[in-house]
Amino acid sequence: MQKILRYKKTLLIFLAVLAGLAAVAYALYYIFLTSGPYDRVEVRWRYKMTVAIYTPEGIKMGSAVREVRHSAAASLRTGKWAGGSHDVKGEAVVVDLGQRGVVFALLTGGPFGADHWWHVVTTQAFPPPADTGAGLPDGARYYAALAPTAPVELPLGAYPAFVYFRDAKDPKTVEPLLSFKKQSDTYNAPLVIGQNRFAEVFGEGVALKSVTVEMTKEPVTSGVVEEHLKWLTNIIDNIDGTSVTTSNELYNVLHKGHFKVGE
């Protein structure tokens, strides 16, 4: 019995040592893949999102230009990604429908919550060439050299979240305008619009026409959101003035960064 126990103990020690050696080997391999010398780059590029809405008075449009700072690094020996980051300066798209109200297309995605700083451009509107990745140095250079381009219409999966305020002076009156759902229960089922409140809120004949993105060299949009939402200047975190999200209420979920970033 003691021999069996000693054998099991020896086997466990052997397996632990083997696992340790495997971890060390993987770490060394990863270091080899991502070690220098490096190709490093930091660039800035701008894109414009435009929202068009049908109304009985004609098509109403609003746009916002945002600037992305994109840094990336890759090993010159292997081409493997070795770090990087991106951030943005810009604001939500505002479409003023006059007496009917104001539509805000936020800096967050409607269907999946994907950010509209980076994801919407690099994966939907202008995917990088097949021989590079959006996060690699060559990808950064690709986006920096793109502007200007023609507008590209976004699919539903890349739409921003649309909201309005019953009272522009009260952030707690924010309400959604669109919701999304899958066409069926299958995994890869396409998205369709679940609830569309544009006509309900703004009147008969009002409907979303399109959302487009284009690369541009135009100046970054600033101050348009705050023209309509004066209180946003004093907000730090959530738009209801709190710093912690404790409910599913939209005013407690949305924060300043959904309306403006990169101050």
Side-chain angles (χ1 to χ4, degrees):
M1 185 66 179
Q2 290 183 346
K3 287 184 178 181
I4 294 175
L5 290 175
R6 282 198 299 269
Y7 172 76
K8 287 184 176 180
K9 184 177 180 180
T10 302
L11 180 60
L12 289 173
I13 293 173
F14 173 76
L15 291 174
V17 170
L18 191 63
L21 290 174
V24 171
Y26 177 81
L28 291 174
Y29 178 66
Y30 179 80
I31 292 172
F32 168 77
L33 290 179
T34 59
S35 62
Y38 299 106
D39 177 14
R40 299 180 186 273
V41 65
E42 180 171 312
V43 297
R44 295 176 187 270
W45 40 269
R46 295 175 183 173
Y47 73 95
K48 178 165 69 173
M49 178 178 286
T50 300
V51 175
I53 298 175
Y54 292 114
T55 77
E57 296 76 40
I59 295 174
K60 304 293 184 180
M61 301 176 70
S63 298
V65 175
R66 301 159 187 164
E67 181 176 84
V68 177
R69 182 194 63 81
H70 181 183
S71 66
S75 169
L76 282 172
R77 290 190 295 105
T78 65
K80 295 294 184 180
W81 182 82
S85 64
H86 58 271
D87 53 51
V88 76
K89 180 179 181 180
E91 61 182 28
V93 177
V94 177
V95 187
D96 191 341
L97 304 182
Q99 293 184 346
R100 295 179 181 275
V102 180
V103 177
F104 298 88
L106 305 183
L107 281 154
T108 185
F112 301 120
D115 70 71
H116 276 63
W117 304 2
W118 162 266
H119 168 271
V120 71
V121 172
T122 60
T123 66
Q124 298 290 336
F126 304 101
D131 59 348
T132 188
L136 294 172
D138 283 348
R141 296 185 184 99
Y142 168 75
Y143 289 107
L146 266 183
T149 67
V152 174
E153 190 163 344
L154 295 179
L156 282 180
Y159 269 24
F162 289 92
V163 302
Y164 83 105
F165 293 83
R166 297 192 309 276
D167 179 356
K169 296 179 181 179
D170 184 358
K172 288 190 176 182
T173 65
V174 65
E175 292 190 8
L177 287 168
L178 280 182
S179 65
F180 302 85
K181 64 180 182 180
K182 285 189 174 183
Q183 196 171 44
S184 67
D185 293 332
T186 58
Y187 177 75
N188 292 322
L191 282 175
V192 295
I193 292 176
Q195 186 178 29
N196 185 337
R197 301 185 62 212
F198 276 85
E200 171 196 338
V201 171
F202 301 114
E204 186 177 352
V206 178
L208 181 62
K209 178 181 182 290
S210 63
V211 182
T212 62
V213 164
E214 62 193 279
M215 302 297 278
T216 184
K217 294 186 180 296
E218 296 177 28
V220 175
T221 306
S222 179
V224 179
V225 172
E226 287 161 325
E227 287 179 8
H228 298 274
L229 306 176
K230 310 281 187 195
W231 46 263
L232 190 65
T233 304
N234 300 318
I235 294 295
I236 298 175
D237 296 308
N238 299 333
I239 65 170
D240 63 356
T242 65
S243 58
V244 179
T245 298
T246 58
S247 74
N248 291 324
E249 296 290 348
L250 191 56
Y251 56 75
N252 189 229
V253 173
L254 294 179
H255 56 77
K256 187 171 186 176
H258 291 133
F259 294 84
K260 185 175 182 178
V261 291
E263 293 182 296

